[in-house]
Amino acid sequence: LAEDFVGQTTAEDPIAASGLGLREADGRLVLPSEARRAARIAELRAWKAELEAIASAAGPNATLSESGDVALMRAEFDSRLNELLVRQTDRKDYAGPGLEIVQTLFSQFLHLPVAGTEDATQADVDRAWEAVVSRLEQSPAYVVAGQKLATTPGRLFGSVGSQQLGGAPDFLGGAFSDAAAVQMAQRPALLKRFVTARDALLATLAASKAYLDANAAGWPENHAIGKAAYEQMLKKELLLPFDSAQVEQMARDELAHGWAEEAWLQAESKRRKLPFGAASGGGMAPAGTALVGYYRDRIAELGAFMNEREIVTVPAWLGAMQIVETPAFLQPVSPGASMRSPRLFDASGTGWYFITPPRSLDEAAARLDMNEDFDRDRIWSTAAHEAMPGHFLQLSIARRHPDLVRRIQHDGPFAEGWAYYGEEMFVRLGLYGDNLDARLFTARWERVRGARAIVDPKLASGEWSIAQAVDFFEAQSGFTRSASQAAVNGIAAGPGYVISYTVGRLQLELLLGEYLRRTGDAGSLRDFHDRLLSYGSTPLAVVGPELLADLGKPASAVRAAANY
């Protein structure tokens, strides 16, 4: 069933196929339409009915793993159906089709083969550019067709979408075009097609932005999905054992702890007459082109620290990370660092680490900016979350799982909970020594995660307005006003995700406690972490029982079964 689902989905949706790393789809687009939308809903309902028949036939004889697979596929189908029938983002987001095209072209750009590396040849490079040009030529029609589905456009999606579309020329007319000019210099006919198609897409996106600027202010605020839909998302899609009231309570506990930790650190800083920031011992990062190399060195230090402290096994096959600036079209909803992991079915293991370099390191240090990593300790902390042992390591392992049901999972609470857990773990295990500034940064990000998980259910239910949420978030997080607005915009547009840090870390720590209770002196952090990462990026409601049931097996056997 999972094979049918993935195969049919990628056949009908070339953008989804490209996102998974199936490069043969890179030159195609299928135009959105009401008929295709209705057909997709019918397909998902049929697959779900087939799943329930399989589960019913297995009955009580299903193994723990099989029962887990049923729960995961049921959540997959529920999530996709609810996106179309309940949240209906495609109905609300007029900018969505244009941004989807830009995102897709950006992903193709990132993953362009380089002759002589990873077995790529010049023929592979030529085919990749032919696919880019072919998809680029079809893009204006795709955008226009997708916009016809936006029958109930919303103000939030319109205003944020306009900002994002405003950043698209920075990529399409900048790095994208520069690379095309160099790599198609010997193919003038193909380069001419590229320029013509690029200009047509830019004109379409400019028209979309102009339409948004003229009309979005008059559209309704329809981003709220309602309390009932939010509760259903928590239970049926995310497989969480919490309701929204419990999520908000744990978020308020987290927020309070972050404030308390900061108060303790402020008191100690005054007593020792030690300021926060680079002057407290972390050391200022270099400006300009040297910053990328500085990041690479700090990430290498994290790997050495993990090995020295026996925290987790880093596999020899792990791919490389490219460090680049966050593109302008993503910055309105992603003001800080982010990671794009290796694609699920791509042969390449390369991941992308996006950073937003400070315009001024000194100014960022003076205001202790939360989204700009201006010194060593902040880079360590952010990279622990995004890279090692966070998203890059965890998702690189998850994409190798032999069970397709597990392999296609990308559970937010597991991924973000693991990365969040690692931030404080590194503080406790001594990465930063006695540097108070590093502990302050971790405490402030605890406040951010707590504030996010309060804002999310409030916005999704319609209890708070965007303005109320921005005021609360700015006061509690330490973000600047503009960064708070960007953060809240992203939360409102994608309900249910930002709680992942809070609920994921709690579930993970509860599982660690039960593991230690059962293993006693025989347990270790490395053993627990190796086992944990062997189950893919899968909801912890499924991972937990399976991990505990497998404690009789050596961790090496569990890892081997997962190709880790």
Side-chain angles (χ1 to χ4, degrees), residues 341-421:
S341 60
R343 296 185 296 184
L344 203 60
F345 299 123
D346 201 338
S348 172
T350 298
W352 297 86
Y353 187 179
F354 298 113
I355 60 173
T356 304
R359 291 180 174 85
S360 166
L361 288 165
D362 291 333
E363 290 177 8
R367 64 177 180 266
L368 296 179
D369 195 288
M370 295 291 289
N371 286 297
E372 296 180 328
D373 294 333
F374 54 82
D375 69 3
R376 181 203 66 185
D377 293 346
R378 281 166 171 74
I379 290 173
W380 267 348
S381 184
T382 306
H385 183 105
E386 302 293 347
M388 299 289 281
H391 296 324
F392 178 65
L393 175 65
Q394 185 251 324
L395 294 171
S396 293
I397 293 168
R399 70 191 283 266
R400 292 167 59 92
H401 203 289
D403 179 348
L404 183 62
V405 175
R406 307 304 170 103
R407 192 177 181 189
I408 62 176
Q409 300 299 310
H410 192 150
D411 181 61
F414 186 108
E416 299 296 359
W418 163 254
Y420 184 17
Y421 159 88

Side-chain angles (χ1 to χ4, degrees), residues 196-313:
T196 301
R198 178 205 63 196
D199 290 347
L201 176 58
L202 284 169
T204 301
L205 298 179
S208 300
K209 186 179 187 312
Y211 182 80
L212 291 169
D213 292 342
N215 295 283
W219 291 340
E221 284 288 23
N222 60 358
H223 56 272
I225 61 174
K227 183 174 174 59
Y230 189 81
E231 299 290 359
Q232 178 179 259
M233 179 194 296
L234 299 184
K235 180 180 180 181
K236 292 189 173 183
E237 299 178 38
L238 298 177
L239 303 182
L240 290 172
F242 314 117
D243 61 21
S244 61
Q246 291 170 311
V247 170
E248 183 176 342
Q249 185 56 60
M250 67 179 77
R252 291 192 180 278
D253 290 344
E254 191 170 62
L255 180 60
H257 186 267
W259 277 113
E261 180 85 0
E262 179 161 351
W264 301 333
L265 293 169
Q266 293 278 12
E268 182 64 6
S269 175
K270 289 178 181 178
R271 185 187 70 82
R272 291 165 54 179
K273 296 182 175 57
L274 183 66
F276 291 123
S280 68
M284 190 76 81
T289 57
L291 184 61
V292 169
Y294 189 82
Y295 265 84
R296 290 199 187 99
D297 291 343
R298 302 294 77 74
I299 292 170
E301 288 166 354
L302 292 178
F305 182 81
M306 290 192 302
N307 184 59
E308 175 192 340
R309 300 302 174 95
E310 299 182 347
I311 292 172
V312 65
T313 298

